[in-house]
Amino acid sequence: MKRLLGPVAVIVLAAATACGSNGSSTTDDETITLGFSQVGAESGWRTANTESIQQAAEDAGIDLQFSDAQQKQENQIQAIRSYIQQDVDVIAFSPVVETGWDAVLLEAQRADIPVILTDRAIDSDDDSLYETFLGSDFVEEGRKAGEWLVDNVEDETNVVELQGTTGAAPAIDRNEGFEEVIADRPDIEIIDTQDGDFTRSGGKEVMEAFLRSHDDIDVVYSHNDDMGLGAIEAIQAAGLEPGEDIQIITVDAVQAGMEALAEGDINFIVECNPLLGDQLMELVEQVAAGEEVSARIEVEETTFTPEEAEAALPERQY
């Protein structure tokens, strides 16, 4: 396990040495350059995450080279290779999917450019390809969703699951944690599962299909708020009452989701905090200076009921 050092003051970092892709040192008048590849702009959560990173880079005086992968792995691989050619000091990215990164990350390693994973992890046998992961425990988020359901239903319950992008870490892990918890309740059954790609339009489309195929849906478990909001539109269009006729559990706790929760259209939200910018810039400064950091750094998160959402909304940052 790598060791997390305490925050380093900017004045100290300015004088510290950092390895570029050619192994040369960063002098005190050089700015750290960060190449960051974002998944896309598929949700309110992602927008808040991007804004947090861009603002934090500006505040820290870090030169941010930003790219939007539009939810395509090939775009991210192309962006990472571009950052290697640009000889940036650090590369960070939020992987579209878990697998298929070893080759390009090996290129970064050979170029002596440290890599930080944000929000989403990768599935690789070689953990030397990146310095650290900064983000959420998606399995635990799934467990929290399952625990609320177990605690709040007593009879046979039919669940439909709006999964995120196929192959993405949050989609895999949120399903795993949820199924783990409900496994001891044979009266709770997932009767259908489909990929809604983390978008509101995808959630609406999939929910419409669920409603056409099933007339006995009790609960929707959505892997993010945006798909849940799309499901609400489909449920209302079918003449049903979201939150009552069909209960809804989502993950994220973005503004629109929290408003729907406070209004009773959603029943429970598990928070996934997108405001990673400040922590990411601290890590960028540390790894650029050649310091060791923890292999995994998780953000603190909570859950919300309608009453808790109503109380939290006035001071909500995203």
Side-chain angles (χ1 to χ4, degrees), residues 245-276:
D245 295 324
I246 298 177
Q247 294 186 301
I248 301 175
I249 305 167
T250 68
V251 181
D252 272 356
V254 298
Q255 185 80 17
M258 292 285 279
E259 289 171 355
L261 178 61
E263 292 167 2
D265 291 336
I266 294 176
N267 302 84
F268 187 70
I269 293 181
V270 178
E271 182 181 40
C272 183
N273 188 352
L275 306 182
L276 307 180

Side-chain angles (χ1 to χ4, degrees), residues 1-5 131 286-287 290-294:
M1 177 66 71
K2 299 175 185 175
R3 181 165 52 91
L4 177 62
L5 300 181
E131 296 295 316
Q286 289 173 334
V287 300
E291 300 175 11
E292 291 186 350
V293 295
S294 291

Side-chain angles (χ1 to χ4, degrees), residues 74-253:
E74 59 267 30
N75 290 348
Q76 285 198 307
I77 291 174
Q78 182 179 359
I80 292 169
R81 288 193 168 126
S82 174
Y83 295 146
I84 294 170
Q85 292 172 355
Q86 292 175 48
D87 192 17
V88 301
D89 298 298
V90 181
I91 292 171
F93 74 112
S94 180
V96 174
V97 295
E98 284 193 338
T99 59
W101 301 105
D102 285 28
V104 71
L105 295 187
L106 184 59
E107 293 172 27
Q109 186 181 72
R110 288 171 175 166
D112 199 19
I113 301 176
V115 173
I116 297 172
L117 305 178
T118 72
D119 173 42
R120 301 179 178 184
I122 63 171
D123 183 3
S124 173
D125 293 330
D126 187 358
D127 60 7
S128 73
L129 295 175
Y130 58 93
E131 296 295 316
T132 185
F133 163 81
L134 169 65
S136 304
D137 185 338
F138 298 133
V139 175
E140 182 59 24
E141 289 172 354
R143 290 191 189 108
K144 290 176 180 177
E147 287 165 359
W148 181 88
L149 183 60
V150 167
D151 291 342
N152 285 272
V153 297
E154 297 179 355
D155 304 321
E156 290 188 7
T157 302
N158 292 329
V159 180
V160 292
E161 183 176 17
L162 285 166
Q163 289 195 340
T165 305
T166 301
I172 295 168
D173 293 349
R174 287 170 185 165
N175 167 264
E176 177 186 332
F178 186 77
E179 289 195 343
E180 174 189 314
V181 171
I182 68 170
D184 293 333
R185 286 284 302 272
D187 56 331
I188 298 176
E189 181 183 1
I190 300 175
I191 60 172
D192 212 337
T193 298
Q194 193 168 327
D195 171 5
D197 209 25
F198 286 122
T199 66
R200 187 179 299 205
S201 60
K204 181 180 180 181
E205 182 179 343
V206 172
M207 192 65 210
E208 287 171 344
F210 285 158
L211 289 166
R212 287 193 297 268
S213 301
H214 308 280
D215 59 4
D216 56 351
I217 299 171
D218 300 306
V219 175
V220 174
Y221 169 43
S222 174
H223 287 192
N224 79 339
D225 288 346
D226 280 75
M227 291 190 296
L229 292 167
I232 288 172
E233 295 177 18
I235 291 168
Q236 290 173 332
L240 299 171
E241 186 69 29
E244 293 190 15
D245 295 324
I246 298 177
Q247 294 186 301
I248 301 175
I249 305 167
T250 68
V251 181
D252 272 356

